[in-house]
Amino acid sequence: MKNIHITETVLRDANQSLIATRLPFNSFAPILDKLDNAGYYSLECWGGATFDSCIRYLNEDPWIRLKKIKSVAKKTPLQMLLRGQNILGYKHYPDDVVREFIKMAIYYGIDIIRIFDALNDFRNIEVAIDETKKQGAHAQGTIVYTVSPIHDVKSYINLAKELKNMGSDSICIKDMAGLIMPDIAFNLIKKLKETVKIPIYLHSHSTNGLAEMSYLKAVEAGVDGIDCAISAFGGGTAQPATESIHYALTSSGFNTNLYGNKLKEINDFFKPIREDFLKKGLLNPKVLSPQPEALIYQIPGGMLSNMISQLKEQNSLNKLEAVLNEVPKVREDLGYPPLVTPMSQMVGTQATINILTGERYKMILKEVKAYCRGEYGKAPGKINNDLLNKAIGENEPIKTRYADTLEPAFEKTKEKLKDLTTRNEDVLTYLSFPEIAEEFLKNKKLHPSSDELREQTKSGVI
Ligand code: CO
């Protein structure tokens, strides 16, 4: 019986996709022991937006949150999502910061790091993969999945070979917008399994109502693992429900290693939490049902709602149709970047500007200019020449890896913060989100919680 690894995403991706990452540690602390004993391959619990949300909204130290998770969930590997050279933020960091961050994440308990770059420019993930391996953790090289005239199974196979050669322990196909069709999932996974002999994982979202079907086809094609979310936080813009996938796969002769009775207990625990978020309005019932419009417009659901609110602000909701037609054109002009953060925001906003100003690229976003200069990495396809001229004029785009142009920053920042903190963890928090971290660190210094006092005493800071 073939084993299928199941990663539980309730603490990270499902939390992020359904309730904007607002799950405080205390709300899920009592169930960690059961999560650890349910038979999961891994628990995705950190990275993505969790770090940002901890300091911005939850007033929790993300490092201590991780340590507390690890102190209970000792058996099941803990997994995080890392945006390569962007770490967890939106800009490129110098290599020393990337290495320090990864070292610390692994020290605090992360076992598996899923590492991706929005453009699939693997120069932006090589340092992260290298450091993860140096620290003895599992480096999962990731391919961002998208649909475009220049992306096909062959191009993904080539990317997978690159990831394997870079030393990835496994490969993840990351379908953040839930676009992968069942037959493509089958062909892609089958070819990947034939070509690269390392474990292959598929990550998708139920947003468009496809993921359950695509998961089953991927399993039939030999995928090694898939991501699921316990049913109270499953489906919709999150992952397919863990229990349904478990029962479906078990009845088809696959072994998930999960215990059905434990899954029920875990779900019973999360049900009232879901009800609570529904009542508070933080969980919008809309995100729980399939929204296959994304398949027509070829844009992720989150991007669509952003554009609608931008247009509303400008009293221009009547231009929505025109903006929706402009999005694929801007994307083509930029060389078909996958529509994932930060590219989805960039393409959506530029398309909106093009329509509202009545002239294409009359005004060009500074992020689009930076993209054209090569500061985000190499565009997957060719950038339109007219746009390139308007964006950067006579200047040549940089051909090297953008991070190579950045000065080391960790020691300098540590020195700058010495009156506020001497902990390397805090320096990394500050480097990740300087605008909000300073306030957070000041507050923490003024009112350290008992947990943090214990932590500081142990680490010899006070
Ligand atoms: Co996701």
Side-chain angles (χ1 to χ4, degrees):
M1 234 185 353
K2 183 174 158 99
N3 283 332
I4 305 294
H5 294 160
I6 306 288
T7 294
E8 175 61 54
T9 67
V10 65
L11 302 183
R12 206 287 296 175
D13 200 339
N15 169 18
Q16 182 171 331
S17 300
L18 295 185
I19 55 167
T21 330
R22 296 297 203 279
L23 214 51
F25 173 81
N26 287 340
S27 73
F28 61 80
I31 201 68
L32 279 173
D33 180 51
K34 289 226 168 74
L35 279 167
D36 193 31
N37 285 291
Y40 288 110
Y41 166 69
S42 64
L43 300 174
E44 195 200 27
C45 63
W46 213 63
T50 61
F51 198 97
D52 187 353
S53 177
C54 273
I55 48 178
R56 199 182 294 269
Y57 304 111
L58 303 174
N59 197 25
E60 280 182 38
D61 186 321
W63 300 100
I64 292 177
R65 177 174 167 121
L66 173 57
K67 192 163 200 167
K68 288 200 264 186
I69 296 173
K70 188 69 171 184
S71 71
V72 184
K74 294 190 179 102
K75 282 201 301 223
T76 313
L78 300 185
Q79 186 170 323
M80 76 172 287
L81 179 69
L82 187 96
R83 225 178 270 147
Q85 210 68 30
N86 292 357
I87 310 181
L88 303 175
Y90 307 104
K91 59 168 195 172
H92 280 232
Y93 290 92
D95 293 341
D96 67 322
V97 177
V98 174
R99 289 189 187 276
E100 286 296 332
F101 195 97
I102 288 173
K103 239 187 257 173
M104 195 63 82
I106 294 167
Y107 173 76
Y108 267 79
I110 290 295
D111 302 284
I112 301 171
I113 308 190
R114 178 176 289 169
I115 306 165
F116 79 101
D117 174 70
L119 298 174
N120 288 324
D121 181 343
F122 296 153
R123 295 173 305 172
N124 295 334
I125 67 171
E126 63 191 10
V127 171
I129 288 189
D130 181 63
E131 191 60 41
T132 303
K133 295 196 59 101
K134 264 191 192 139
Q135 299 303 320
H138 178 121
Q140 187 168 87
T142 301
I143 297 169
V144 170
Y145 179 81
T146 190
V147 178
S148 91
I150 60 161
H151 290 89
D152 56 14
V153 169
K154 210 174 128 210
S155 69
Y156 290 124
I157 299 293
N158 289 335
L159 290 171
K161 284 183 194 157
E162 255 187 77
L163 286 177
K164 192 190 170 192
N165 292 340
M166 287 167 68
S168 301
D169 295 299
S170 61
I171 290 175
C172 172
I173 302 294
K174 178 178 160 63
D175 175 26
M176 63 280 156
L179 295 174
I180 199 164
M181 292 288 171
D183 68 316
I184 294 179
F186 186 88
N187 290 333
L188 178 57
I189 299 296
K190 201 162 177 55
K191 294 242 164 61
L192 282 170
K193 289 299 293 180
E194 286 163 8
T195 327
V196 287
K197 308 279 180 214
I198 51 177
I200 308 288
Y201 292 82
L202 177 62
H203 170 88
S204 190
H205 290 249
S206 304
T207 321
N208 305 309
L210 297 174
E212 287 79 357
M213 294 182 270
S214 300
Y215 273 8
L216 184 59
K217 294 304 270 183
V219 167
E220 288 170 3
V223 85
D224 294 275
I226 47 183
D227 290 2
C228 300
I230 200 77
S231 58
F233 277 86
T237 50
Q239 278 66 50
T242 310
E243 303 96 302
S244 317
I245 295 287
H246 162 70
Y247 288 113
L249 294 187
T250 308
S251 84
S252 309
F254 296 96
N255 182 14
T256 66
N257 283 317
L258 293 168
Y259 300 101
N261 56 341
K262 295 226 168 78
L263 295 182
K264 177 165 187 326
E265 289 176 45
I266 294 166
N267 193 47
D268 286 345
F269 176 86
F270 278 105
K271 268 192 219 159
I273 298 181
R274 168 197 158 106
E275 288 310 307
D276 197 38
F277 275 96
L278 272 169
K279 244 183 254 149
K280 283 192 289 200
L282 258 168
L283 172 54
N284 183 341
K286 254 196 209 157
V287 303
L288 294 171
S289 45
Q291 303 157 68
E293 288 103 325
L295 301 174
I296 304 165
Y297 300 126
Q298 294 288 325
I299 61 169
M303 195 175 149
L304 183 63
S305 45
N306 268 348
M307 283 189 322
I308 291 176
S309 67
Q310 276 178 1
L311 287 172
K312 259 191 198 153
E313 265 172 39
Q314 307 284 328
N315 270 330
S316 304
L317 203 52
N318 58 337
K319 303 256 170 67
L320 180 63
E321 199 60 38
V323 172
L324 286 172
N325 288 327
E326 178 66 7
V327 166
K329 292 180 193 151
V330 172
R331 188 175 176 227
E332 182 180 347
D333 291 342
L334 291 176
Y336 297 107
L339 294 179
V340 60
T341 302
M343 297 316 301
S344 45
Q345 291 84 341
M346 225 188 273
V347 171
T349 311
Q350 187 62 53
T352 310
I353 293 173
N354 284 358
I355 294 301
L356 292 186
T357 56
E359 186 187 328
R360 305 192 74 220
Y361 308 114
K362 185 177 176 187
M363 224 187 90
I364 300 178
L365 278 178
K366 73 174 197 308
E367 289 83 2
V368 170
K369 286 184 182 167
Y371 174 87
C372 291
R373 278 196 299 271
E375 292 179 16
Y376 288 83
K378 194 176 172 307
K382 208 177 148 350
I383 301 180
N384 176 293
N385 267 334
D386 288 344
L387 168 60
L388 205 55
N389 276 336
K390 277 188 188 163
I392 62 171
E394 299 292 293
N395 298 328
E396 278 285 304
I398 59 162
K399 294 275 189 303
T400 50
R401 196 178 68 112
Y402 182 58
D404 286 339
T405 67
L406 304 172
E407 290 289 320
F410 185 79
E411 290 302 331
K412 245 193 317 200
T413 311
K414 192 172 174 177
E415 175 64 22
K416 184 176 124 185
L417 295 180
K418 67 175 189 296
D419 293 333
L420 190 58
T421 181
T422 52
R423 299 171 77 222
N424 288 356
E425 299 86 317
D426 290 341
V427 177
L428 291 165
T429 304
Y430 177 85
L431 277 160
S432 302
F433 298 99
E435 331 74 53
I436 48 171
E438 191 161 355
E439 199 55 35
F440 173 80
L441 294 174
K442 271 185 196 153
N443 257 330
K444 208 175 78 161
K445 198 178 174 189
L446 280 175
H447 314 286
S449 67
S450 52
D451 283 328
E452 315 214 338
L453 273 177
R454 249 200 326 271
E455 185 74 15
Q456 288 168 357
T457 319
K458 249 193 291 176
S459 63
V461 173
I462 50 172

